[in-house]
C-alpha cells in the first residue's frame, strides 16, 4: 500500500561518498516475492559495503524504501545507445556466496530457524543478512513479533537495520535476555523446527550441553516431524546444573510432556546424549508411555576401559575445547602449555578470546557463560560415569560411526559389537553402521545415512 519511488532511492544512493552511479530495480527470485535490489558503481566497489549503504538509506528514507540487496560493480552495463542496460544487471543470487558459518548457541540456532521459515531459505548462517536473503519491512515486523514470542524480548525494528546479520541480531537478543530479570523457570526444550503434524523428535544434548550439533540432521529429516533439542539448563543458570542422569531424565521428560502430553515419544541422543535418552525411555516405559523409537547415536555404554579420567581444570578445558572444535584437530599439547601457568580467571579470558577468534563461540558471550559451559561439561561427565543403567523391556537402535568401530577394534580394550548396550534391551537392539567419524556423521555431507535410519523408524512399531 506504500508508493515506492525508485528514482528517489537512486538519488539518495548517489549522494553516498564513493558512489558514482546507482540503479534500483524490483526483482523476484526463489519464490520470495518482489524485492528491491540496488546496483551501485564507484571508484572503489569494495568500500560500498551493503550494511553501510543500508544504514545510510535508513536514515534518509522510510524503511519500506530500503533495498533488500545491494550489488557493488566497477561500472554499470551500458547498451548500444549508451544508456544503462538494466537487463544485463546480475541477479543477487548469481554472485559469490559468503562461506557458511553455522549457529553456535541456542539464540543463533533458534533465530536461524525463524529466518529460514520467514524467508523460505534452505540454510541461514551467521554472516547472512536478513535483507540480502530477501527480507523487507513487512517480514521484519513478523520477525520481531516472533522474537518477542519466543524469547520474551522486544527488539526495535530499527535495530534490524543496524544489525542485519544473524550473528549481530542474536547478540542483541542474547544481551537483552541476560540483562532482563527472569520470571519463569529455564526450559531445556529448544525448538529446532515447529512445523509438522507427526510426533516430534527429541534430541538430547551431548556432554557440552548444547544442541546445535543436530542442525544438519534436522534439515536432512523430512518436513513432517517437528524437532526439539534438549539443552542442559545449567548453560542458562549455573544453579540449574544437573549432576546425575536420572535427574536429567526427569527434568527433560517434564519439559517434553508439556510439549507432547502423550506418546509415542521419539528420542535420540548423540554421544553421551544417548545414555540420557536411554534413561528417559526407560522412565517413560515405567509410566506405561509408548516409546516410538530410541536411537543411540555413536554412544558408548558407561565408562570404557582406557577412557581418560583426568579431572584437573586444564584437562577439563582441553576436553571442552576439543568438544567445541568437533572434527577439527585440537593441539592438546599447545593448549596445555598455554593454560597451565594461568590462574582460573586468566584461563577463562584466554579460552574465551581464542575460541571467539576461531569462531567456535559467539562474540561477547563473556567469561560467565564460558564458565557455565565448563561446569555443564564437568557435571555431565560425572553424571555419565556414576550412572548405572537398568535393564529395560523395550527395543532400541544403535547407530555406529565406522571410524569409532575401527578405532575400538584396534584398541587394547576392544568393545563388543553393540558398545555394551545389547544386554540392557529386553526388546532387542538393532545396530546400523554409517560411514564417517564420531563428529562427521552429523555433518552436512554425511548426515543423510543417519537421517535415513531415523526416518525409517517412524514406519514401524518400536515400543
Amino acid at each position: 500500500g506504500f508508493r515506492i519511488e525508485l528514482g528517489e532511492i537512486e538519488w539518495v544512493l548517489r549522494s553516498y561518498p564513493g558512489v558514482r552511479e546507482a540503479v534500483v530495480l524490483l526483482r523476484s527470485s526463489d519464490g520470495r516475492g518482489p524485492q528491491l535490489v540496488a546496483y551501485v558503481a564507484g571508484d572503489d566497489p569494495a568500500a560500498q559495503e551493503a550494511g553501510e549503504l543500508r544504514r545510510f538509506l535508513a536514515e534518509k528514507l522510510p524503511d519500506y524504501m530500503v533495498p533488500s540487496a545491494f550489488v557493488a560493480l566497477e561500472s554499470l552495463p551500458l547498451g548500444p545507445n549508451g544508456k544503462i542496460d538494466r537487463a544485463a544487471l546480475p541477479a543477487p543470487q548469481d554472485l559469490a556466496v559468503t562461506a557458511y558459518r553455522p549457529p553456535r548457541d541456542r539464540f543463533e540456532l533458534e533465530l536461524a530457524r525463524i529466518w529460514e521459515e520467514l524467508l523460505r531459505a534452505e540454510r541461514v548462517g551467521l554472516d547472512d543478512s536478513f535483507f540480502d536473503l530477501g527480507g523487507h519491512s513487512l517480514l521484519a515486523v513478523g520477525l520481531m513479533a516472533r522474537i518477542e514470542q519466543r524469547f520474551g524480548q522486544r527488539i526495535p525494528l530499527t535495530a534490524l537495520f543496524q544489525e542485519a546479520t544473524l550473528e549481530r541480531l542474536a547478540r542483541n537478543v542474547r544481551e537483552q535476555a541476560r540483562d532482563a530479570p527472569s520470571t519463569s523457570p529455564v526450559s531445556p526444550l529448544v525448538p529446532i523446527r515447529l512445523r509438522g503434524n507427526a510426533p516430534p523428535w527429541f534430541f538430547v544434548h551431548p556432554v557440552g550441553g548444547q544442541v546445535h550439533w543436530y542442525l544438519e540432521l534436522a534439515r536432512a529429516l523430512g518436513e513432517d516431524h517437528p524437532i526439539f533439542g534438549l539443552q542442559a539448563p545449567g548453560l542458562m543458570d549455573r544453579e540449574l546444573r544437573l549432576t546425575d542422569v536420572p535427574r536429567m531424565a526427569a527434568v527433560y521428560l517434564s519439559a517434553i510432556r508439556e510439549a507432547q502430553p502423550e506418546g509415542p515419544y521419539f528420542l535420540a541422543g548423540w554421544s553421551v546424549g544417548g545414555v540420557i535418552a536411554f534413561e528417559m525411555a526407560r522412565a517413560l516405559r515405567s509410566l506405561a508411555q509408548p516409546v516410538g523409537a530410541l536411537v543411540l547415536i555413536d554412544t558408548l555404554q558407561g565408562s570404557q576401559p582406557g577412557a581418560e579420567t583426568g579431572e584437573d581444570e586444564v584437562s577439563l578445558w582441553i576436553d571442552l575445547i576439543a568438544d567445541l572444535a568437533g572434527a577439527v584437530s585440537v593441539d592438546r599439547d599447545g593448549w596445555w602449555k598455554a593454560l597451565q601457568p594461568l590462574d582460573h580467571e586468566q584461563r577463562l579470558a584466554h579460552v574465551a578470546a581464542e575460541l571467539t577468534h576461531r569462531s567456535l563461540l559467539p562474540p561477547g558471550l563473556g567469561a560467565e557463560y564460558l564458565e557455565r559451559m565448563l561446569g555443564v561439561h564437568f557435571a555431565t561427565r560425572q553424571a555419565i560415569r556414576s550412572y548405572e543403567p537398568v535393564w529395560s523391556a523395550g527395543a532400541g537402535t544403535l547407530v555406529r560411526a565406522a571410524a569409532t568401530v575401527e578405532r575400538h577394534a584396534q584398541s587394547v580394550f576392544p568393545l563388543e559389537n553393540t558398545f555394551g548396550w545389547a544386554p540392557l534391551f529386553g526388546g532387542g537392539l538393532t545396530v546400523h553402521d554409517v560411514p564417517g567419524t564420531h563428529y562427521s556423521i552429523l555433518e552436512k555431507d554425511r548426515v543423510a545415512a543417519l537421517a535415513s535410519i531415523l526416518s525409517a523408524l517412524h514406519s514401524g512399531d518400536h515400543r
Side-chain angles (χ1 to χ4, degrees), residues 302-349:
S303 296
Q304 298 299 323
E308 296 182 23
T309 57
E311 299 296 354
D312 62 278
E313 186 176 286
V314 174
S315 297
L316 288 172
W317 275 124
I318 294 174
D319 283 350
L320 174 61
I321 292 162
D323 185 60
L324 289 171
V328 179
S329 178
V330 169
D331 180 7
R332 289 178 174 266
D333 290 340
W335 276 103
W336 184 276
K337 292 176 182 177
L339 294 177
Q340 186 64 30
L342 306 179
D343 62 27
H344 178 72
E345 297 301 323
Q346 291 171 328
R347 288 168 184 166
L348 274 174

Side-chain angles (χ1 to χ4, degrees), residues 350-366:
H350 180 79
V351 173
E354 287 292 321
L355 293 183
T356 301
H357 175 71
R358 301 179 193 198
S359 198
L360 293 174
L361 278 181
L365 272 184

Side-chain angles (χ1 to χ4, degrees), residues 19 30 59 76 127 129-130 151 288 335 366 380 386 418 427 441 448:
V19 173
D30 299 334
E59 294 174 355
L76 300 182
D127 299 307
S129 165
F130 183 79
F151 299 102
W335 276 103
T380 306
S386 62
T418 67
I441 60 174

Side-chain angles (χ1 to χ4, degrees), residues 44 202 244 354 399:
D44 184 10
F202 295 98
D244 67 86
E354 287 292 321
V399 180

Side-chain angles (χ1 to χ4, degrees), residues 89-170:
L89 291 167
Q93 65 268 25
D94 295 335
L95 303 178
V97 178
T98 304
Y100 172 73
R101 290 199 298 143
R104 299 159 297 192
D105 72 351
R106 66 176 288 261
F107 294 98
E108 294 172 348
L109 178 64
E110 294 188 51
L111 277 178
R113 301 289 71 71
I114 294 173
W115 284 30
E116 288 171 0
E117 185 172 333
L118 279 176
L119 302 173
R120 301 179 187 176
E122 179 182 353
R123 185 174 70 170
V124 175
L126 297 177
D127 299 307
D128 288 325
S129 165
F130 183 79
F131 298 102
D132 289 346
L133 293 176
H136 49 71
S137 59
L138 293 180
L139 284 177
V141 172
L143 171 63
M144 295 311 175
R146 295 195 184 196
I147 289 175
E148 182 177 357
Q149 181 183 35
R150 180 69 194 101
F151 299 102
Q153 307 299 328
R154 290 190 177 184
I155 306 295
L157 191 60
T158 53
L160 189 59
F161 290 96
Q162 303 295 322
E163 301 176 333
T165 66
L166 179 70
E167 182 176 43
R168 291 182 179 180
L169 187 61

